[in-house]
Amino acid sequence: MGLSRLAALHGVATSYSPSPDVTVSVPDDTVIAVLAALGVDAGTPADVRKCLAAAESRSRLLPPTVVVWAGEPLPPALAGLPPGSTVTVEPEPSDLPGHPAGRPPAPLSMRARAAAPAEPVASGEPAPAPEAAPAPGAAPAWWIPPPHGVHRIHVRTPDNRRATATLVAAPPRLPQPPEGTHGFLVQLYSLLSARSWGMGDLGDLADLAAWAGRSVGSGFVQVNPLHAAVPGKPTDPSPYRPSSRRFPDPVHLHVESIPEYGHVRDRAALDDLRQDAAALSEAVLNKGALIDRDAVWELKRQALELVAQVPLTPGRRADYCDFLAEQGQALEDHALWCALAEVHGPDWHTWPQALRDPRSPGTARARSELLDRVDFHCRLAWLTAGQLAAAQRAAEDAGMGVGIVHDLAVGVHPAGADTWSQQEAFAHGMSVGAPPDAFNARGQDWGLPPWRPDVLAATGYAAYRGLLRGLLAHAGALRIDHVMGLFRLWWVPEGRPPTDGTYVAYDAEAMLAVLVLEAHRAGTSVVGEDLGTVAPGVREALARRGVLGTSVLWFERDWEGGGRPLAPEEWRRDCLATATTHDLPSTAARLTGDHVTLRHRLGLLTRSLEEELTADLTDTAEWLALLARLRMLPEGDGDEEAAVRAVHRFLRRTPARMTGVWLPDTVGDRRPQNLPGTWDQYPNWRLPIADPEGHPVTLEEITASPRLHGLMEVLRPRKPHTAPPGERRP
């Protein structure tokens, strides 16, 4: 009992329910290990009693972070303050428009009171009238709502108890995208143009957005995470296991678009690099080679070294200095990690002891010794941010109502820049994953160390806020991978199987409030990837705050009423509706059963090939029958292209706010970009977009494809849309 109570006080689950009628107990060893990662020693019964007594004896006047939503009741922490308590809010200067730079806004002071009048806050003010009961959904009359932002709140009770906390004041909902907008989903590295250096880049992204907005009326382009990768040979190709989520990877730069590129003196060296880059692209597009991120980066790094030798113009220098000031310590730490990784390797755990602490004297000396390399990596971050901004401008100039939808991975690599620079924020010795379920009896271990919820709260979610602010700076919207992680994550102790993990809770109210606040500041929408096991109430909480869900056609069935495919009018409105994702088969592969034979060749099936094909054919036939009944498949059976069009015609009929088209679907690609459950058996994250025969196609060929234009014809706007107040333009 004691261990269970202690675990509950720290948000650590001692049991979980993989299905409504099943409860699984978590091993005590797992609970003890997870508590240890949270700084709680529960190794012996005596330790448990000691920690439990200490935890239960603590009485906090305020939690470390308090959330208030505009126009909604105050949280119990504030509403329940003793009458007569003095409450002072120090607003965040940047959140108060109109205040001169450098002049802090005046604190907001108020006095908590009951129904009877209390003393005025300051001498000379009239005594307040007796307080009437607040209207439903309103804050009490004594409360002065602060502006949206992250503030400091100070409380002093009549008996002189004091408390200070972070106050997150958030608008009630996120900005919403225009209704009925459609767009493309693409893994950027897979989108090579005739000018690419062996993989798709930000120039290609801007070009795709400009074409899609103008030529086929698209409202957005969603890309994979562009986070900085951990360098190495080979580099981990997965965009979902980055070194840093805060800063983008300069491998995505389109080198020729950098203004200084045209002023490089050593033109011969640049020409040689461009020829080598052309050979890389030729190998991928015409010789069956896989995308080689390491080879691409080696060429770009050499070119960028030459570009960095060109002095910046006064205006460019001023812009760079502003960027450095704006990014501050976070960028300096990231750039220093990159510089140290060049010298000592990409795993900071193996560096000399003095360099493993980013604040040690030894690291400070290294910072001075590597100043030129630190500046080089800072400049790369600046250049990449500039091209991200250019891609979003290209989308907006093309009339897109949303623009570029960026992707936030669920975590970071344990050896990367974020875990080095923010060591106290991560639960070391733990990995994020997923519990066993009907699709994977062994569970999953993703190899990503989780954030500590206690440290996030104690620091006012500073790391989380900085991460979101950086990602949203040049985004039209943000997709959050495994959005359920805002509520809880499955922690797996190092060295144990995923079945021996447990859930750890996060303060979802605070996580959502920070998300809504930062997205509101940026004017961006948010899409949550809420596929798989979702705890009760999570989708409702997300929808209340305006976070769109993700609905994939093949999973949209009436699971509680027989499992029939859902008719289009039964789909939810607040979602991004798609036929597939990067982790699933393409639509052509699904319709033909190619994905089953691929998994059979790789030894991934749990049943015989015949059984799997029969089940898959039955599933597909049910959907095709529904499409036929709805008269969405006039061509009849046996026409693959027509069936792909019918699937998207169906998606367009749903009330979903956004409809996403997997770009490889537009040319009949049958190969998944990622095949879960494989590592070196399949070339995950390294395939270019290809035609039905597997021959790679360029951006230019994709945009000229008759198959694409036939598909996009079914996605023409339903009708003109007038955006209500607060919505984005269509």
Side-chain angles (χ1 to χ4, degrees):
M1 275 303 287
L3 182 62
S4 295
R5 290 208 316 273
L6 183 62
L9 288 172
H10 292 87
V12 179
T14 54
S15 65
Y16 67 97
S17 297
S19 60
D21 56 342
V22 176
T23 299
V24 178
S25 295
V26 175
D28 285 353
D29 287 351
T30 295
V31 176
I32 292 169
V34 170
L35 285 171
L38 293 169
V40 179
D41 184 1
T44 67
D47 293 329
V48 170
R49 290 191 295 271
K50 179 180 177 182
C51 291
L52 189 59
E56 291 179 337
S57 67
R58 285 194 294 267
S59 176
R60 295 186 65 100
L61 189 58
L62 289 178
T65 297
V66 180
V67 170
V68 294
W69 300 95
E72 298 185 12
L74 290 185
L78 293 180
L81 288 173
S85 297
T86 299
V87 180
T88 303
V89 175
E90 295 182 30
E92 194 176 43
S94 61
D95 292 334
L96 289 181
H99 280 274
R103 181 185 300 176
L108 303 175
S109 295
M110 56 207 89
R111 183 73 61 85
R113 59 184 189 268
E119 292 183 19
V121 171
S123 60
E125 293 182 355
E131 182 178 318
W142 62 265
W143 174 253
I144 302 173
H148 299 329
V150 180
H151 316 301
R152 296 295 289 169
I153 184 169
H154 308 276
V155 171
R156 179 168 57 84
T157 65
D159 60 356
N160 211 34
R161 288 183 295 149
R162 299 171 183 266
T164 296
T166 299
L167 178 69
V168 180
R173 276 178 63 82
L174 287 156
Q176 296 295 287
E179 287 194 36
T181 187
H182 68 77
F184 292 109
L185 319 177
V186 62
Q187 299 282 293
L188 181 56
Y189 59 83
S190 71
L191 181 69
L192 281 75
S193 69
R195 65 182 187 178
S196 300
W197 285 38
M199 62 182 280
D201 59 40
L202 292 171
D204 298 323
L205 176 60
D207 205 42
L208 174 66
W211 169 83
R214 289 183 168 89
S215 299
V216 294
S218 295
F220 66 91
V221 174
Q222 178 181 301
V223 295
N224 56 285
L226 304 182
H227 309 321
V230 176
K233 292 190 176 181
T235 298
D236 187 337
S238 172
Y240 291 92
R241 203 163 180 250
S243 169
S244 173
R245 296 187 294 174
R246 175 65 182 82
F247 295 100
D249 199 311
V251 76
H252 300 114
L253 281 168
H254 180 239
V255 178
E256 292 95 325
S257 294
I258 300 172
E260 289 73 36
Y261 177 87
H263 300 280
V264 171
R265 291 187 176 181
D266 192 346
R267 306 308 299 180
L270 277 184
D271 289 343
D272 288 344
L273 291 171
R274 290 180 63 181
Q275 288 180 15
D276 290 343
L280 278 181
S281 287
E282 171 69 13
V284 171
L285 293 172
N286 295 311
K287 297 181 179 178
L290 299 176
I291 292 170
D292 188 340
R293 181 192 181 100
D294 295 326
V296 173
W297 173 238
E298 179 58 27
L299 295 179
K300 288 192 176 183
R301 183 194 60 76
Q302 293 180 52
L304 292 166
E305 299 273 8
L306 295 171
V307 169
Q309 295 173 16
V310 178
L312 298 175
T313 65
R316 293 271 290 166
R317 169 62 63 181
D319 185 65
Y320 178 43
C321 291
D322 284 350
F323 179 80
L324 293 175
E326 180 182 340
Q327 302 302 320
Q329 186 71 52
L331 175 59
E332 189 173 337
D333 286 345
H334 174 73
L336 177 57
W337 182 91
C338 293
L340 288 169
E342 292 176 335
V343 178
H344 301 288
D347 185 351
W348 61 267
H349 300 91
T350 66
W351 292 355
Q353 191 67 43
L355 301 179
R356 297 179 195 176
D357 179 356
R359 305 291 170 250
S360 73
T363 301
R365 287 192 298 273
R367 193 185 308 265
S368 298
E369 294 165 358
L370 297 172
L371 193 59
D372 288 345
R373 298 307 298 170
V374 171
D375 180 69
F376 176 68
H377 290 289
C378 285
R379 186 179 293 205
L380 296 187
W382 170 62
L383 293 173
T384 311
Q387 291 195 6
L388 288 170
Q392 177 62 13
R393 284 196 303 272
E396 293 173 347
D397 291 347
M400 286 190 167
V402 177
I404 309 301
V405 182
H406 286 282
D407 197 352
L408 172 60
V410 70
V412 294
H413 196 287
D418 282 2
T419 59
W420 176 74
S421 61
Q422 303 169 11
Q423 293 178 38
E424 68 288 346
F426 287 91
H428 300 282
M430 294 288 143
S431 176
V432 174
D437 57 27
F439 300 99
N440 192 329
R442 294 175 294 182
Q444 300 175 58
D445 183 344
W446 302 332
L448 309 169
W451 264 336
R452 286 181 52 166
D454 56 330
V455 174
L456 286 177
T459 56
Y461 295 83
Y464 179 48
R465 286 188 280 130
L467 166 62
L468 290 174
R469 193 167 296 186
L471 281 172
L472 294 170
H474 309 302
L478 180 67
R479 174 192 180 269
I480 300 181
D481 190 43
H482 194 70
V483 72
M484 298 82 77
L486 300 180
F487 295 76
R488 66 180 187 178
L489 283 172
W490 184 258
W491 287 24
V492 181
E494 185 177 341
R496 299 173 188 263
T499 50
D500 285 357
T502 190
Y503 280 113
V504 175
Y506 290 75
D507 185 343
E509 195 80 348
M511 298 289 278
L512 279 173
V514 171
L515 173 64
V516 171
L517 172 64
E518 294 297 339
H520 185 271
R521 284 168 160 167
T524 58
S525 308
V526 176
V527 177
E529 186 271 295
D530 57 351
L531 305 174
T533 302
V534 183
V538 167
R539 286 197 174 103
E540 292 77 9
L542 293 170
R544 182 185 179 194
R545 298 305 172 194
V547 179
L548 304 185
T550 300
S551 293
V552 178
L553 181 130
W554 311 102
F555 303 152
E556 290 298 306
R557 291 175 171 271
D558 180 14
W559 297 110
E560 297 180 359
R564 64 175 177 81
L566 287 181
E569 63 273 11
E570 297 178 284
W571 286 42
R572 53 181 169 171
R573 174 174 176 263
D574 293 328
C575 74
L576 166 64
T578 72
T580 189
T581 73
H582 59 267
D583 283 332
L584 296 172
S586 70
T587 305
R590 175 79 67 170
L591 292 168
T592 59
D594 283 5
H595 68 110
V596 177
T597 55
L598 171 62
R599 295 179 67 239
H600 171 67
R601 289 199 305 271
L602 297 175
L604 299 176
L605 298 184
T606 57
R607 296 180 292 181
S608 70
L609 175 60
E610 183 179 354
E611 289 176 301
E612 291 280 356
L613 284 173
T614 299
D616 186 69
L617 177 62
T618 301
D619 181 88
T620 303
E622 285 185 299
W623 279 104
L624 291 175
L626 175 58
L627 296 175
R629 287 197 302 273
L630 295 173
R631 299 182 179 180
M632 294 182 178
L633 190 53
E635 299 86 350
D637 296 336
D639 188 332
E640 177 198 305
E641 287 190 43
V644 173
R645 289 195 297 271
V647 164
H648 289 84
R649 195 174 284 121
F650 179 97
L651 294 176
R652 195 62 168 162
R653 181 81 64 85
T654 72
R657 276 187 172 271
M658 301 173 72
T659 302
V661 180
W662 178 234
L663 190 61
D665 273 350
T666 66
V667 290
D669 197 346
R670 282 167 164 68
R671 306 176 304 178
Q673 282 294 314
N674 178 50
L675 192 59
T678 63
W679 178 245
D680 56 1
Q681 308 99 309
Y682 186 80
N684 295 321
W685 318 113
R686 289 173 287 172
L687 292 173
I689 298 174
D691 64 17
E693 287 71 44
H695 187 277
V697 288
T698 63
L699 170 60
E700 293 83 359
E701 292 168 330
I702 293 170
T703 57
S705 166
R707 180 166 179 156
L708 177 146
H709 286 276
L711 174 57
M712 298 311 294
E713 193 61 34
V714 308
L715 294 172
R716 293 293 179 188
R718 301 165 181 153
K719 59 182 180 180
H721 172 75
T722 302
E727 282 200 5
R728 309 277 295 280
R729 62 179 175 83

PDB file of all heavy atoms in Angstrom, residues 46-71:
ATOM      1  N   ALA A  46      11.468   0.849   4.387  1.00  0.00           N
ATOM      2  CA  ALA A  46      11.778   2.001   5.238  1.00  0.00           C
ATOM      3  C   ALA A  46      11.909   3.274   4.403  1.00  0.00           C
ATOM      4  O   ALA A  46      11.453   4.353   4.817  1.00  0.00           O
ATOM      5  CB  ALA A  46      13.071   1.743   6.009  1.00  0.00           C
ATOM      6  N   ASP A  47      12.540   3.151   3.226  1.00  0.00           N
ATOM      7  CA  ASP A  47      12.660   4.311   2.341  1.00  0.00           C
ATOM      8  C   ASP A  47      11.281   4.790   1.895  1.00  0.00           C
ATOM      9  O   ASP A  47      11.029   6.001   1.815  1.00  0.00           O
ATOM     10  CB  ASP A  47      13.500   3.955   1.111  1.00  0.00           C
ATOM     11  CG  ASP A  47      14.956   3.680   1.447  1.00  0.00           C
ATOM     12  OD1 ASP A  47      15.455   4.291   2.415  1.00  0.00           O
ATOM     13  OD2 ASP A  47      15.577   2.867   0.742  1.00  0.00           O
ATOM     14  N   VAL A  48      10.409   3.828   1.598  1.00  0.00           N
ATOM     15  CA  VAL A  48       9.050   4.190   1.165  1.00  0.00           C
ATOM     16  C   VAL A  48       8.340   4.955   2.264  1.00  0.00           C
ATOM     17  O   VAL A  48       7.718   6.005   2.017  1.00  0.00           O
ATOM     18  CB  VAL A  48       8.258   2.926   0.768  1.00  0.00           C
ATOM     19  CG1 VAL A  48       6.786   3.269   0.546  1.00  0.00           C
ATOM     20  CG2 VAL A  48       8.844   2.297  -0.486  1.00  0.00           C
ATOM     21  N   ARG A  49       8.413   4.452   3.499  1.00  0.00           N
ATOM     22  CA  ARG A  49       7.741   5.134   4.611  1.00  0.00           C
ATOM     23  C   ARG A  49       8.300   6.534   4.825  1.00  0.00           C
ATOM     24  O   ARG A  49       7.550   7.497   5.059  1.00  0.00           O
ATOM     25  CB  ARG A  49       7.886   4.303   5.895  1.00  0.00           C
ATOM     26  CG  ARG A  49       7.075   3.011   5.892  1.00  0.00           C
ATOM     27  CD  ARG A  49       7.036   2.386   7.277  1.00  0.00           C
ATOM     28  NE  ARG A  49       8.354   1.945   7.715  1.00  0.00           N
ATOM     29  CZ  ARG A  49       8.863   0.740   7.486  1.00  0.00           C
ATOM     30  NH1 ARG A  49       8.154  -0.152   6.800  1.00  0.00           N
ATOM     31  NH2 ARG A  49      10.070   0.408   7.929  1.00  0.00           N
ATOM     32  N   LYS A  50       9.606   6.656   4.715  1.00  0.00           N
ATOM     33  CA  LYS A  50      10.235   7.968   4.914  1.00  0.00           C
ATOM     34  C   LYS A  50       9.801   8.959   3.838  1.00  0.00           C
ATOM     35  O   LYS A  50       9.417  10.101   4.142  1.00  0.00           O
ATOM     36  CB  LYS A  50      11.751   7.808   4.905  1.00  0.00           C
ATOM     37  CG  LYS A  50      12.527   9.102   5.066  1.00  0.00           C
ATOM     38  CD  LYS A  50      14.031   8.834   5.034  1.00  0.00           C
ATOM     39  CE  LYS A  50      14.834  10.123   5.119  1.00  0.00           C
ATOM     40  NZ  LYS A  50      16.299   9.859   5.047  1.00  0.00           N
ATOM     41  N   CYS A  51       9.860   8.541   2.570  1.00  0.00           N
ATOM     42  CA  CYS A  51       9.484   9.434   1.469  1.00  0.00           C
ATOM     43  C   CYS A  51       7.994   9.755   1.498  1.00  0.00           C
ATOM     44  O   CYS A  51       7.577  10.874   1.184  1.00  0.00           O
ATOM     45  CB  CYS A  51       9.857   8.814   0.127  1.00  0.00           C
ATOM     46  SG  CYS A  51      11.632   8.717  -0.157  1.00  0.00           S
ATOM     47  N   LEU A  52       7.193   8.764   1.867  1.00  0.00           N
ATOM     48  CA  LEU A  52       5.756   8.984   1.929  1.00  0.00           C
ATOM     49  C   LEU A  52       5.410   9.985   3.024  1.00  0.00           C
ATOM     50  O   LEU A  52       4.592  10.898   2.823  1.00  0.00           O
ATOM     51  CB  LEU A  52       5.046   7.657   2.176  1.00  0.00           C
ATOM     52  CG  LEU A  52       3.527   7.649   2.060  1.00  0.00           C
ATOM     53  CD1 LEU A  52       3.088   8.094   0.679  1.00  0.00           C
ATOM     54  CD2 LEU A  52       2.988   6.253   2.353  1.00  0.00           C
ATOM     55  N   ALA A  53       6.038   9.835   4.192  1.00  0.00           N
ATOM     56  CA  ALA A  53       5.787  10.778   5.290  1.00  0.00           C
ATOM     57  C   ALA A  53       6.198  12.188   4.894  1.00  0.00           C
ATOM     58  O   ALA A  53       5.487  13.167   5.170  1.00  0.00           O
ATOM     59  CB  ALA A  53       6.543  10.329   6.537  1.00  0.00           C
ATOM     60  N   ALA A  54       7.349  12.298   4.224  1.00  0.00           N
ATOM     61  CA  ALA A  54       7.815  13.625   3.807  1.00  0.00           C
ATOM     62  C   ALA A  54       6.868  14.229   2.774  1.00  0.00           C
ATOM     63  O   ALA A  54       6.540  15.419   2.841  1.00  0.00           O
ATOM     64  CB  ALA A  54       9.223  13.522   3.235  1.00  0.00           C
ATOM     65  N   ALA A  55       6.414  13.417   1.828  1.00  0.00           N
ATOM     66  CA  ALA A  55       5.536  13.931   0.776  1.00  0.00           C
ATOM     67  C   ALA A  55       4.187  14.345   1.335  1.00  0.00           C
ATOM     68  O   ALA A  55       3.633  15.381   0.954  1.00  0.00           O
ATOM     69  CB  ALA A  55       5.348  12.875  -0.313  1.00  0.00           C
ATOM     70  N   GLU A  56       3.645  13.553   2.256  1.00  0.00           N
ATOM     71  CA  GLU A  56       2.318  13.856   2.785  1.00  0.00           C
ATOM     72  C   GLU A  56       2.347  14.994   3.795  1.00  0.00           C
ATOM     73  O   GLU A  56       1.315  15.616   4.065  1.00  0.00           O
ATOM     74  CB  GLU A  56       1.720  12.603   3.414  1.00  0.00           C
ATOM     75  CG  GLU A  56       1.373  11.534   2.369  1.00  0.00           C
ATOM     76  CD  GLU A  56       0.808  10.274   2.982  1.00  0.00           C
ATOM     77  OE1 GLU A  56       1.082  10.031   4.184  1.00  0.00           O
ATOM     78  OE2 GLU A  56       0.102   9.531   2.269  1.00  0.00           O
ATOM     79  N   SER A  57       3.524  15.281   4.366  1.00  0.00           N
ATOM     80  CA  SER A  57       3.629  16.373   5.338  1.00  0.00           C
ATOM     81  C   SER A  57       3.802  17.728   4.670  1.00  0.00           C
ATOM     82  O   SER A  57       3.582  18.767   5.295  1.00  0.00           O
ATOM     83  CB  SER A  57       4.796  16.119   6.295  1.00  0.00           C
ATOM     84  OG  SER A  57       6.038  16.196   5.598  1.00  0.00           O
ATOM     85  N   ARG A  58       4.222  17.694   3.387  1.00  0.00           N
ATOM     86  CA  ARG A  58       4.421  18.966   2.691  1.00  0.00           C
ATOM     87  C   ARG A  58       3.071  19.593   2.356  1.00  0.00           C
ATOM     88  O   ARG A  58       2.185  18.943   1.817  1.00  0.00           O
ATOM     89  CB  ARG A  58       5.236  18.771   1.413  1.00  0.00           C
ATOM     90  CG  ARG A  58       6.707  18.552   1.645  1.00  0.00           C
ATOM     91  CD  ARG A  58       7.495  18.716   0.351  1.00  0.00           C
ATOM     92  NE  ARG A  58       7.169  17.694  -0.622  1.00  0.00           N
ATOM     93  CZ  ARG A  58       7.832  16.554  -0.753  1.00  0.00           C
ATOM     94  NH1 ARG A  58       8.848  16.290   0.057  1.00  0.00           N
ATOM     95  NH2 ARG A  58       7.479  15.672  -1.662  1.00  0.00           N
ATOM     96  N   SER A  59       2.938  20.834   2.667  1.00  0.00           N
ATOM     97  CA  SER A  59       1.705  21.559   2.351  1.00  0.00           C
ATOM     98  C   SER A  59       2.077  22.796   1.548  1.00  0.00           C
ATOM     99  O   SER A  59       2.672  23.740   2.069  1.00  0.00           O
ATOM    100  CB  SER A  59       0.967  21.964   3.637  1.00  0.00           C
ATOM    101  OG  SER A  59      -0.176  22.733   3.324  1.00  0.00           O
ATOM    102  N   ARG A  60       1.739  22.775   0.276  1.00  0.00           N
ATOM    103  CA  ARG A  60       2.088  23.882  -0.599  1.00  0.00           C
ATOM    104  C   ARG A  60       0.896  24.812  -0.733  1.00  0.00           C
ATOM    105  O   ARG A  60      -0.236  24.376  -0.979  1.00  0.00           O
ATOM    106  CB  ARG A  60       2.480  23.380  -1.983  1.00  0.00           C
ATOM    107  CG  ARG A  60       3.746  22.548  -2.030  1.00  0.00           C
ATOM    108  CD  ARG A  60       4.100  22.231  -3.473  1.00  0.00           C
ATOM    109  NE  ARG A  60       4.437  23.443  -4.202  1.00  0.00           N
ATOM    110  CZ  ARG A  60       5.672  23.843  -4.463  1.00  0.00           C
ATOM    111  NH1 ARG A  60       6.697  23.129  -4.061  1.00  0.00           N
ATOM    112  NH2 ARG A  60       5.894  24.953  -5.132  1.00  0.00           N
ATOM    113  N   LEU A  61       1.153  26.095  -0.567  1.00  0.00           N
ATOM    114  CA  LEU A  61       0.102  27.085  -0.778  1.00  0.00           C
ATOM    115  C   LEU A  61      -0.275  27.150  -2.249  1.00  0.00           C
ATOM    116  O   LEU A  61      -1.453  27.303  -2.606  1.00  0.00           O
ATOM    117  CB  LEU A  61       0.592  28.454  -0.287  1.00  0.00           C
ATOM    118  CG  LEU A  61      -0.432  29.589  -0.234  1.00  0.00           C
ATOM    119  CD1 LEU A  61      -1.607  29.220   0.656  1.00  0.00           C
ATOM    120  CD2 LEU A  61       0.244  30.871   0.272  1.00  0.00           C
ATOM    121  N   LEU A  62       0.737  27.008  -3.117  1.00  0.00           N
ATOM    122  CA  LEU A  62       0.514  26.977  -4.560  1.00  0.00           C
ATOM    123  C   LEU A  62       1.366  25.868  -5.164  1.00  0.00           C
ATOM    124  O   LEU A  62       2.472  25.619  -4.695  1.00  0.00           O
ATOM    125  CB  LEU A  62       0.924  28.307  -5.217  1.00  0.00           C
ATOM    126  CG  LEU A  62       0.074  29.545  -4.979  1.00  0.00           C
ATOM    127  CD1 LEU A  62       0.711  30.733  -5.689  1.00  0.00           C
ATOM    128  CD2 LEU A  62      -1.353  29.349  -5.464  1.00  0.00           C
ATOM    129  N   PRO A  63       0.900  25.224  -6.219  1.00  0.00           N
ATOM    130  CA  PRO A  63       1.777  24.312  -6.960  1.00  0.00           C
ATOM    131  C   PRO A  63       2.826  25.120  -7.712  1.00  0.00           C
ATOM    132  O   PRO A  63       2.694  26.342  -7.861  1.00  0.00           O
ATOM    133  CB  PRO A  63       0.813  23.602  -7.918  1.00  0.00           C
ATOM    134  CG  PRO A  63      -0.309  24.558  -8.109  1.00  0.00           C
ATOM    135  CD  PRO A  63      -0.459  25.288  -6.807  1.00  0.00           C
ATOM    136  N   PRO A  64       3.884  24.488  -8.220  1.00  0.00           N
ATOM    137  CA  PRO A  64       4.941  25.243  -8.907  1.00  0.00           C
ATOM    138  C   PRO A  64       4.437  26.031 -10.111  1.00  0.00           C
ATOM    139  O   PRO A  64       4.946  27.112 -10.403  1.00  0.00           O
ATOM    140  CB  PRO A  64       5.927  24.157  -9.335  1.00  0.00           C
ATOM    141  CG  PRO A  64       5.668  23.008  -8.430  1.00  0.00           C
ATOM    142  CD  PRO A  64       4.209  23.051  -8.124  1.00  0.00           C
ATOM    143  N   THR A  65       3.461  25.501 -10.841  1.00  0.00           N
ATOM    144  CA  THR A  65       2.884  26.183 -11.997  1.00  0.00           C
ATOM    145  C   THR A  65       1.369  26.159 -11.878  1.00  0.00           C
ATOM    146  O   THR A  65       0.782  25.109 -11.601  1.00  0.00           O
ATOM    147  CB  THR A  65       3.313  25.509 -13.312  1.00  0.00           C
ATOM    148  OG1 THR A  65       4.734  25.618 -13.453  1.00  0.00           O
ATOM    149  CG2 THR A  65       2.648  26.177 -14.512  1.00  0.00           C
ATOM    150  N   VAL A  66       0.765  27.317 -12.086  1.00  0.00           N
ATOM    151  CA  VAL A  66      -0.689  27.472 -12.002  1.00  0.00           C
ATOM    152  C   VAL A  66      -1.194  27.905 -13.368  1.00  0.00           C
ATOM    153  O   VAL A  66      -0.578  28.747 -14.028  1.00  0.00           O
ATOM    154  CB  VAL A  66      -1.081  28.510 -10.930  1.00  0.00           C
ATOM    155  CG1 VAL A  66      -2.596  28.658 -10.844  1.00  0.00           C
ATOM    156  CG2 VAL A  66      -0.502  28.128  -9.577  1.00  0.00           C
ATOM    157  N   VAL A  67      -2.329  27.353 -13.788  1.00  0.00           N
ATOM    158  CA  VAL A  67      -2.917  27.683 -15.085  1.00  0.00           C
ATOM    159  C   VAL A  67      -4.237  28.412 -14.893  1.00  0.00           C
ATOM    160  O   VAL A  67      -5.078  27.988 -14.085  1.00  0.00           O
ATOM    161  CB  VAL A  67      -3.156  26.408 -15.916  1.00  0.00           C
ATOM    162  CG1 VAL A  67      -3.978  26.713 -17.164  1.00  0.00           C
ATOM    163  CG2 VAL A  67      -1.833  25.769 -16.299  1.00  0.00           C
ATOM    164  N   VAL A  68      -4.412  29.501 -15.616  1.00  0.00           N
ATOM    165  CA  VAL A  68      -5.723  30.154 -15.696  1.00  0.00           C
ATOM    166  C   VAL A  68      -6.084  30.294 -17.169  1.00  0.00           C
ATOM    167  O   VAL A  68      -5.256  30.665 -18.003  1.00  0.00           O
ATOM    168  CB  VAL A  68      -5.749  31.530 -14.998  1.00  0.00           C
ATOM    169  CG1 VAL A  68      -5.556  31.380 -13.505  1.00  0.00           C
ATOM    170  CG2 VAL A  68      -4.691  32.470 -15.561  1.00  0.00           C
ATOM    171  N   TRP A  69      -7.328  29.948 -17.490  1.00  0.00           N
ATOM    172  CA  TRP A  69      -7.847  30.068 -18.854  1.00  0.00           C
ATOM    173  C   TRP A  69      -8.743  31.284 -18.928  1.00  0.00           C
ATOM    174  O   TRP A  69      -9.591  31.500 -18.055  1.00  0.00           O
ATOM    175  CB  TRP A  69      -8.651  28.823 -19.236  1.00  0.00           C
ATOM    176  CG  TRP A  69      -7.894  27.541 -19.213  1.00  0.00           C
ATOM    177  CD1 TRP A  69      -7.829  26.641 -18.191  1.00  0.00           C
ATOM    178  CD2 TRP A  69      -7.087  27.005 -20.267  1.00  0.00           C
ATOM    179  NE1 TRP A  69      -7.029  25.579 -18.533  1.00  0.00           N
ATOM    180  CE2 TRP A  69      -6.569  25.766 -19.806  1.00  0.00           C
ATOM    181  CE3 TRP A  69      -6.763  27.437 -21.555  1.00  0.00           C
ATOM    182  CZ2 TRP A  69      -5.744  24.961 -20.589  1.00  0.00           C
ATOM    183  CZ3 TRP A  69      -5.942  26.630 -22.334  1.00  0.00           C
ATOM    184  CH2 TRP A  69      -5.435  25.421 -21.855  1.00  0.00           C
ATOM    185  N   ALA A  70      -8.577  32.096 -19.937  1.00  0.00           N
ATOM    186  CA  ALA A  70      -9.373  33.322 -20.082  1.00  0.00           C
ATOM    187  C   ALA A  70     -10.859  32.978 -20.104  1.00  0.00           C
ATOM    188  O   ALA A  70     -11.303  32.103 -20.844  1.00  0.00           O
ATOM    189  CB  ALA A  70      -8.986  34.046 -21.371  1.00  0.00           C
ATOM    190  N   GLY A  71     -11.624  33.692 -19.241  1.00  0.00           N
ATOM    191  CA  GLY A  71     -13.066  33.517 -19.232  1.00  0.00           C
ATOM    192  C   GLY A  71     -13.563  32.285 -18.529  1.00  0.00           C
ATOM    193  O   GLY A  71     -14.763  31.973 -18.595  1.00  0.00           O
TER     194      GLY A  71
END
